[in-house]
Amino acid sequence: MMPPHPGQPVDAGGLLRVAAFTDAVRRAGACGHPIHLSGTRLLVERDTGRLLDDPAPARITVRCRSRRATVCPSCAALYRLDAFHLIAAGLCGGKDTPTVVAGRPRLFVTLTAPSFGPVHLGPGEHGLPRLCHPNDGRCGRWHPAGDPLIGTPLDVDGYDYAGQILFNAHVGRLWARFTVQTRRALASGAGLSRAAAAKQVRVVFAKVAEFQTRGVVHLHAVIRLDGPAGPTTTPARWATTGLLTAAIRIAVPAVEVRTPACRRITARRLVWGSQLDIRPITTEGMSERVVAGYVAKYATKAAETAGAQVGPLFCRTCTGRGTTGRAGRLCHRCGGTGRRPGIDLDRLSGHTRWLIETCWWLGGQPELAALRLRHHAHLLGFRGHFATKSRAYSTTFTALRAERQHWASAQLALQAGVDPAAVAVLGDWRPGVMPDER
């Protein structure tokens, strides 16, 4: 990205990304939970190994790099910027992704959860007020934005809390089966076998999970069609936006995941909700920047959207079991409860507390042990990553961070008056005090 000498071309896109990040750092402010490190930084000549500066002990702070806005707003803002660049690179090119992807079939898809019982409704689309269930007489009130009743059940006793937790826990598997069904429907629509279609078209995606106010996960995804070898190759002519749209509409209702029965819980058939939103990504309306900004916005949110502002519940000594060792002795740290000491759920709303307690109870059922629900009770059963993508969609978060590290190393070399291409910056950092403070 930084030219080692005046004759080398400059990566303009990389410089713009670094400039945007530097500006975001200035506006975001200091990290809320900085990590203090002590050690040395060395500037070493690559060919000879000669030290070019004095390796004096130093102390630095690095960011916590939390993506959750409720944990560290500053680092979350920077993560959101990286997510924007990652999504935008897959839509218009940049950072090792060719610009030809802007002309590929691309869709912005929202997959929703089914209903687990009627809940209180807030403002409708564009923030317009609406009556809450006016026809059945169970509410009929206007709930303004921010009303704590929004998303809570009308009938707590009849609400399917177990079904909602199991849906959250299986969202990843539902998505995986959705991608398989989409490829099958795409091949069928072209009159080809899956193997033959895979030699002509590749389906790639980037998606983010969003918690609804009722505490259930929806998925927002960018889906793109590439050639068989990735973004550098052109898909077959039959691979159009219309065919991809039809394939998705066929795939969604065909997806299901079945869960085993356990004590007081019957076997479940989990499916996507009936609300399916598919929008083509164009230069107008639903543009690349609009989609990238929309997806990046949700990359920094978690279960706190549903009011679950609490850390992991399980005791790390007994991993939530309440007992340790083969003899099954009570855990000395949690006293046999399986929960981390100091956890207080009383400050949460009743609906959120019920979801967490249901997740914890389900995590103790032998038939559902593989889901490790007690480890994910603070996320209401959701076990996946909030932002994921296909390997061939675009760049990675690691590559974006490495780009900035390369720029920072080049700046150090320039300050020392040496060629950045001829030196390496080596760091030896560790938590704790400096050597002269021991």
Side-chain angles (χ1 to χ4, degrees), residues 262-301:
C262 60
R263 185 164 59 96
R264 293 190 294 173
I265 299 295
T266 60
R268 302 299 175 99
R269 175 180 173 269
L270 304 176
V271 298
W272 293 112
S274 58
Q275 295 182 357
L276 172 64
D277 187 36
I278 304 176
R279 302 186 188 184
I281 301 173
T282 61
T283 55
E284 299 179 0
M286 188 60 69
S287 66
E288 291 92 345
R289 289 189 62 85
V290 170
V291 171
Y294 188 82
V295 173
K297 177 180 69 173
Y298 289 111
T300 59
K301 296 183 178 180

Side-chain angles (χ1 to χ4, degrees), residues 340-352:
R340 182 164 55 91
I343 290 293
D344 180 19
L345 301 181
D346 292 337
R347 58 187 176 85
L348 304 179
S349 68
H351 176 60
T352 303

Side-chain angles (χ1 to χ4, degrees), residues 100-438:
V100 293
V101 297
R104 302 282 167 76
R106 302 165 303 166
L107 294 175
F108 182 57
V109 180
T110 298
L111 300 172
T112 62
S115 173
F116 300 99
V119 298
H120 289 278
L121 304 176
E125 191 174 1
H126 306 301
L128 297 177
R130 60 175 171 176
L131 280 174
C132 177
H133 299 282
N135 297 326
D136 53 20
R138 284 184 287 183
C139 183
R141 289 187 291 171
W142 303 86
H143 295 298
D147 190 332
L149 280 177
I150 296 175
T152 60
L154 292 173
D155 178 16
V156 175
D157 295 332
Y159 196 79
D160 187 8
Y161 282 98
Q164 180 166 321
I165 293 298
L166 291 173
F167 178 87
N168 286 346
H170 288 86
V171 161
R173 191 174 300 177
L174 286 166
W175 171 260
R177 296 190 179 182
F178 162 74
T179 59
V180 171
Q181 291 293 344
T182 298
R183 294 184 178 97
R184 286 177 178 171
L186 196 64
S188 177
L192 301 171
S193 65
R194 283 190 61 195
K199 295 179 180 179
Q200 302 180 41
V201 171
R202 175 184 288 187
V203 181
V204 297
F205 67 87
K207 68 175 176 68
V208 65
E210 175 206 359
F211 265 99
Q212 298 291 292
T213 309
R214 58 180 170 142
V216 72
V217 172
H218 289 188
L219 295 183
H220 304 284
V222 175
I223 302 179
R224 189 185 75 214
L225 296 183
D226 285 340
T232 57
T233 55
T234 304
R237 299 186 65 178
W238 54 261
T240 63
T241 301
L243 185 60
L244 178 59
T245 301
I248 291 173
R249 294 195 183 279
I250 293 172
V252 170
V255 173
E256 67 173 40
V257 172
R258 296 187 178 272
T259 64
C262 60
R263 185 164 59 96
R264 293 190 294 173
I265 299 295
T266 60
R268 302 299 175 99
R269 175 180 173 269
L270 304 176
V271 298
W272 293 112
S274 58
Q275 295 182 357
L276 172 64
D277 187 36
I278 304 176
R279 302 186 188 184
I281 301 173
T282 61
T283 55
E284 299 179 0
M286 188 60 69
S287 66
E288 291 92 345
R289 289 189 62 85
V290 170
V291 171
Y294 188 82
V295 173
K297 177 180 69 173
Y298 289 111
T300 59
K301 296 183 178 180
E304 59 264 14
T305 306
Q309 298 185 17
V310 64
L313 271 67
F314 71 98
C315 171
R316 297 188 182 276
T317 302
C318 64
T319 63
R321 297 190 306 270
T323 58
T324 58
R326 295 182 178 179
R329 297 176 180 176
L330 288 181
C331 175
H332 68 279
R333 181 171 178 79
C334 66
T337 64
R339 297 193 181 186
R340 182 164 55 91
I343 290 293
D344 180 19
L345 301 181
D346 292 337
R347 58 187 176 85
L348 304 179
S349 68
H351 176 60
T352 303
R353 191 164 61 248
W354 267 111
L355 286 170
I356 293 176
E357 294 289 3
T358 301
C359 188
W360 184 266
W361 181 82
L362 289 173
Q365 305 307 307
E367 297 84 356
L368 303 174
L371 298 179
R372 303 176 73 226
L373 289 175
R374 290 190 171 182
H375 286 69
H376 302 89
H378 63 297
L379 295 175
L380 311 183
F382 180 64
R383 304 181 300 136
H385 292 284
F386 279 85
T388 58
K389 70 176 188 66
S390 302
R391 182 175 299 177
Y393 174 80
S394 70
T395 186
T396 64
F397 286 107
T398 300
L400 292 172
R401 288 192 290 266
E403 184 179 60
R404 295 192 292 270
Q405 291 171 358
H406 176 71
W407 179 84
S409 298
Q411 296 304 302
L412 287 174
L414 292 174
Q415 292 173 8
V418 296
D419 183 356
V423 298
V425 179
L426 306 178
D428 180 20
W429 305 104
R430 62 195 66 187
V433 298
M434 296 173 59
D436 57 352
E437 295 178 338
R438 293 175 182 173

